[in-house]
């Protein structure tokens, strides 16, 4: 089966699977697979996980086993992974440098999950590896139906309106905003809800996802009727709100004056990027927009 790092053949359906990162975990859990090992970002300073993985917000309560922590999701501890005797290792394309070493331990699938529609393409591939093809088709159908329902349940004032979706890392960069376009997974999610994405400024050709960067002053170019600020890196939604309220440029925007600026968590709206995340995002948006 083809994936972002090459072609992998499995001698038999995998049972013992290591998940490298929250995106891989989302995909596996959606297929009903509990991992025997899990890797996360090194900067989170995590050690050993319990049962469930409570440190993984939004997914931890769905983990019923006690997966072993294998270190950084891009450069995991190979000895620990080997000790788990996995049949399959699943991660993202960011771990390509480690792919040869991982593939020497067990068949490894690295997926791209950062673009709109990615998980719908990769879930069937993963499903073949774990003998859950019917489950994958069911998940895709259910999520498509749920997206249709979500479009109908948006507040009437927001349907079809122009929306600005931005990341903000806070701290020293609290006055910089990364604009998300339709090719980006998060931007694509909002566009699929029926919103028209506002893309002020100029496109950065060095970024494959088509991200655009704005300063606080550059926000004045937006024509958005609603703005969604996603707190990234070490920022929090609460701090992003405080920074926005203290920003005179942001406060002059029509969306601010109308009370249509919303602050969301990057863990849910940008790191998981799978079918479980989409379901939880829709629930969170429904609650936020009330």
């Amino acid at each position: 089966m083809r994936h972002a790092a090459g072609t992998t053949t499995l001698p038999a359906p995998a049972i013992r699977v290591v998940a490298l990162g929250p995106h891989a975990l989302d995909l596996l859990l959606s297929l009903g697979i509990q991992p025997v090992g899990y890797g996360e970002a090194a900067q989170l300073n995590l050690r050993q996980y319990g049962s469930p993985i409570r440190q993984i917000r939004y997914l931890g309560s769905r983990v019923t086993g006690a997966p072993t922590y294998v270190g950084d999701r891009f450069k995991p501890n190979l000895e620990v992974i080997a000790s788990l005797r996995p049949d399959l290792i699943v991660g993202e394309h960011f771990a390509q440098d480690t792919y040869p070493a991982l593939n020497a331990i067990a068949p490894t699938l690295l997926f791209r999950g950062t673009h709109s529609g990615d998980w719908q393409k990769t879930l069937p591939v993963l499903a073949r590896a774990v003998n859950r093809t019917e489950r994958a088709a069911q998940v895709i159908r259910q999520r498509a139906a749920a997206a249709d329902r979500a479009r109908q349940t948006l507040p009437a004032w927001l349907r079809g309106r122009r929306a600005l979706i931005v990341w903000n890392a806070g701290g020293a960069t609290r006055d910089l905003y990364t604009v998300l376009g339709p090719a980006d997974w998060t931007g694509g999610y909002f566009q699929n809800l029926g919103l028209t994405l506002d893309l002020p400024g100029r496109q950065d050709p060095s970024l494959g996802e088509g991200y655009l960067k704005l300063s606080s002053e550059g926000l004045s170019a937006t024509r958005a009727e609603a703005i969604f600020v996603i707190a990234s890196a070490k920022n929090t939604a609460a701090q992003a709100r405080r920074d926005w309220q203290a920003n005179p440029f942001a406060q002059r925007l029509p969306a601010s004056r109308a009370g249509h600026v919303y602050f969301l968590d990057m863990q849910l709206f940008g790191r998981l990027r799978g079918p479980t995340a989409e379901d939880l995002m829709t629930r969170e948006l429904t609650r936020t927009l009330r």
Side-chain angles (χ1 to χ4, degrees), residues 143-156 158-160 188-195 278 282 286:
R143 283 305 316 144
D148 288 339
R149 292 194 298 272
R151 284 190 286 271
Q152 299 303 316
T153 57
L154 276 181
L158 186 57
R159 296 176 194 172
Y189 167 82
F190 281 94
Q191 179 168 269
N192 289 339
L193 285 178
L195 301 177
E278 286 193 9
T282 299
T286 300

Side-chain angles (χ1 to χ4, degrees), residues 157-171:
W157 71 266
L158 186 57
R159 296 176 194 172
R161 300 292 185 173
R162 186 176 294 274
L164 176 67
I165 319 297
V166 295
W167 285 349
N168 181 260

Side-chain angles (χ1 to χ4, degrees), residues 164 168 172-177 179 200-201 213-223 227 244 246-254:
L164 176 67
N168 181 260
T173 60
R174 61 183 175 274
D175 293 329
L176 286 177
Y177 301 88
V179 180
K213 286 189 179 296
L214 288 179
S215 64
S216 291
E217 294 88 340
L219 286 172
S220 61
T222 182
R223 296 181 291 151
I227 299 174
W244 186 271
N247 185 328
F249 296 100
Q251 292 306 298
R252 295 174 192 152
L253 297 176

Side-chain angles (χ1 to χ4, degrees), residues 235-254:
N235 201 9
T236 65
Q239 184 58 53
R241 181 187 298 274
R242 289 191 289 269
D243 290 340
W244 186 271
Q245 292 172 342
N247 185 328
F249 296 100
Q251 292 306 298
R252 295 174 192 152
L253 297 176

Side-chain angles (χ1 to χ4, degrees), residues 125-145:
V125 179
L126 177 59
R128 292 201 301 273
V130 295
N131 196 26
R132 300 289 174 96
T133 54
E134 291 184 7
R135 176 72 174 262
Q138 180 184 36
V139 169
I140 291 172
R141 287 195 302 269
Q142 289 175 340
R143 283 305 316 144

Side-chain angles (χ1 to χ4, degrees), residues 8 20 32 67 88 90 120 156 184 187 266 268 285:
T8 296
L20 299 180
L88 178 67
V90 182
Q120 289 90 338
D184 172 77
M266 177 70 166
L268 178 56
L285 275 181

